[in-house]
Amino acid sequence: MSLFPEEPYSLDLPDAAVTYYKNMLTEEEAASYYEALLEEISWRHDDIKVFGKVYPQPRLTALYSSNTKSYSYSNITMVPEPFTDTLQAIKKRVEDIAGVTFTTCLLNLYRDGNDSNGWHADDEKELGKNPIIASVSLGAPRLFKFRNKVDKSQQAKIILEPGSLLLMQGSTQHHWHHQLPKTAKKVAPRINLTFRIIA
């Protein structure tokens, strides 16, 4: 492993501000946090409604926060639990980079390549006008894609490595969808922490 973390770089997306920090955490830190969160988080498996049909969500989720504000998406309303010490430690690292204080963390556990997250934008009204979303990856690397909301031929992709931070801010959620697609490859589980502000 390099003694110095690789420089963060910005993705070349019009009308967006997306920055990738490959080594926010060391390999040892990422592995330790992954094991801790796998055990201590109250994972849940919700049903989602898509075009009038109900399906099991293709991943496990959890919501933690410094306040009691719920979060709703895809006809699911989640009520948060208080931050654990592990989440507080990761949150502090993210806040030092992002320069903001996050209130809430939506966690996703992708158990294998069949688990995914379809095209969407984090644009729910409780997140504010220009939400800042800080996405931390632990566990297996996974492909992550962007697609312009209007011109769907405009796309970008990136491999999210364990210990990395992807920071989406500005008008990104107004103009771009993102997804974590399914893969036929045999992949180990991945935990994703998405820090956000729900005032």
Side-chain angles (χ1 to χ4, degrees):
M1 191 183 110
S2 169
L3 186 61
F4 301 102
E6 292 180 32
E7 288 296 309
Y9 68 89
S10 297
L11 275 67
D12 187 17
L13 301 176
D15 303 311
V18 181
T19 310
Y20 182 62
Y21 302 80
K22 185 177 180 183
N23 299 318
M24 186 191 79
L25 303 171
T26 66
E27 286 179 35
E28 293 76 15
E29 287 171 333
S32 175
Y33 284 142
Y34 171 83
E35 294 297 337
L37 293 173
L38 202 57
E39 291 298 317
E40 72 187 33
I41 294 302
S42 301
W43 299 105
R44 52 189 268 182
H45 197 194
D46 289 309
D47 288 333
I48 54 170
K49 199 172 194 177
V50 183
F51 302 121
K53 291 190 174 181
V54 177
Y55 303 93
Q57 195 167 209
R59 61 190 177 280
L60 304 185
T61 59
L63 189 72
Y64 286 74
S65 181
S66 58
N67 60 36
T68 57
K69 302 279 186 179
S70 62
Y71 181 59
S72 300
Y73 68 97
S74 301
N75 294 315
I76 296 169
T77 297
M78 303 181 74
V79 176
E81 295 191 38
F83 280 125
T84 65
D85 289 345
T86 307
L87 286 174
Q88 286 281 20
I90 300 171
K91 183 168 97 84
K92 173 78 168 62
R93 299 282 287 273
V94 173
E95 289 172 343
D96 286 346
I97 293 171
V100 300
T101 300
F102 293 100
T103 64
T104 307
C105 183
L106 174 64
L107 297 92
N108 297 290
L109 171 57
Y110 299 92
R111 297 159 293 181
D112 55 31
N114 286 316
D115 277 1
S116 63
N117 201 339
W119 289 115
H120 70 285
D122 294 313
D123 55 4
E124 292 80 16
K125 67 179 185 300
E126 58 259 53
L127 297 178
K129 184 181 177 186
N130 287 319
I132 177 168
I133 307 291
S135 172
V136 177
S137 296
L138 303 170
R142 286 288 294 264
L143 178 67
F144 190 78
K145 292 183 172 182
F146 289 93
R147 184 178 73 184
N148 189 277
K149 287 184 178 183
V150 177
D151 179 4
K152 292 186 169 59
S153 69
Q154 282 192 58
Q155 298 198 17
K157 59 187 178 182
I158 184 172
I159 300 290
L160 298 180
E161 302 280 354
S164 69
L165 166 66
L166 186 75
L167 204 55
M168 298 182 282
Q169 51 194 325
S171 61
T172 305
Q173 306 301 327
H174 295 278
H175 300 284
W176 294 85
H177 285 127
H178 53 270
Q179 71 159 187
L180 189 116
K182 292 182 189 294
T183 176
K185 294 177 184 172
K186 189 172 175 59
V187 292
R190 169 182 182 259
I191 291 175
N192 168 233
L193 298 80
T194 57
F195 292 96
R196 51 200 67 211
I197 299 168
I198 301 178

